[in-house]
Amino acid sequence: MSVFILSGAELKATARLEGPIAPASVDDPEELYNLEQKFIRHNALMTVNEVVDFEHMNESEDEEEESSEDEEPIDPDDPDADEKKRMRRQKNREKFMEIKRKKERKRISQHKRILKEGEPFIYTAKAAKAGWYRACLEGTWNQVIAEFEMRKQSRLGHVDEEGHVITWEMKDMLEEDEELEKDTASQEGIKDEDFQATREKVKELRRLLNEIQGMQQKERRRLAMHAETNEHSHSRMVLSSLLETLLFMAVTGYQVYTIRHWFSGAPALGR
């Protein structure tokens, strides 16, 4: 399951994968639709709910906090009490900064591929049973526009170095390489050494073309995501400024009213 949210009021959604909703033998669209409508989520053999958040990339809700050690109270009568308090504050400050650095490293590690390379969110799991599965992307509060792709190993045949099913573009390239390997110099009517050199050059050009197309797609995604997040940040800033202005005007009005009321009820000055 590959997801990349392109636009929306908030670049956040929940990717769901449930099933099987119907046996693999079902091939009639109407029958498949009826079985999907009767499907009960609680009886699913496989249920996946993954939050895909491209909006709050700098925040993490499940950061691991280090457990603080129990500190013994400092005796106020201790002649070195002030020095011990200073050392304890310094130790706590260093511990806090180390936790902050760890969180920052973890955040960068988690979101580097999405922010810097424009990679989509990918989730790979083994199907619990053969059959039809239902997948959807549900926006948290608002509608979102996203690229959503489902891939299975039984159809594409291979997995990449990270254990995810390869893309259709990668499958086409591998099939083209296999076709080139089946071809021979005798069939083309050229010398074997010339054929080998030409075949390697063709493979290299195809890999380079696929890499360029992949980089263009990642750059397009990255620019689209950055444009959306910048627009959302600007909208939040404008709304925040407007609320601050309204609050300032309300407080100022209340102060003017209070001062006028105070002076109107006070005796005349100079008496």
Side-chain angles (χ1 to χ4, degrees), residues 1 7 21 30 34 37 60 107 113 135 140-141 173 183 191 233 236 249 256:
M1 179 169 58
S7 63
I21 62 173
E30 183 176 356
N34 294 331
Q37 293 297 311
S60 181
R107 181 188 66 82
R113 297 186 65 186
T140 306
W141 299 106
M173 188 184 72
D183 201 359
K191 295 180 179 181
S233 299
R236 286 194 295 267
M249 293 175 64
V256 172

Side-chain angles (χ1 to χ4, degrees), residues 200-240:
E200 293 302 321
K201 287 294 182 182
V202 171
K203 287 182 179 180
E204 184 178 352
L205 288 174
R206 284 178 175 173
R207 291 193 187 96
L208 183 60
L209 178 61
N210 286 333
E211 289 178 2
I212 294 174
Q213 291 175 342
M215 291 173 62
Q216 289 176 338
Q217 185 181 38
K218 292 175 183 178
E219 185 67 15
R220 177 180 59 82
R221 289 171 174 170
R222 188 180 65 83
L223 292 176
M225 185 187 66
H226 285 183
E228 285 291 323
T229 53
N230 289 337
E231 182 179 351
H232 296 172
S233 299
H234 176 71
S235 300
R236 286 194 295 267
M237 183 182 64
V238 171
L239 180 60
S240 176

Side-chain angles (χ1 to χ4, degrees), residues 70-92:
D70 295 334
E71 298 178 344
E72 297 180 358
I74 299 176
D75 187 0
D77 298 330
D78 190 341
D80 298 330
D82 293 339
E83 180 66 18
K84 290 182 178 180
K85 290 179 180 179
R86 189 187 66 80
M87 294 295 294
R88 178 172 294 181
R89 287 195 298 268
Q90 180 66 21
K91 180 180 179 182
N92 291 335

Side-chain angles (χ1 to χ4, degrees), residues 22-39:
S25 58
V26 176
D27 56 1
D28 181 59
E30 183 176 356
E31 181 182 0
L32 181 61
Y33 173 79
N34 294 331
L35 291 173
E36 191 272 335
Q37 293 297 311
K38 297 177 181 178
F39 174 72

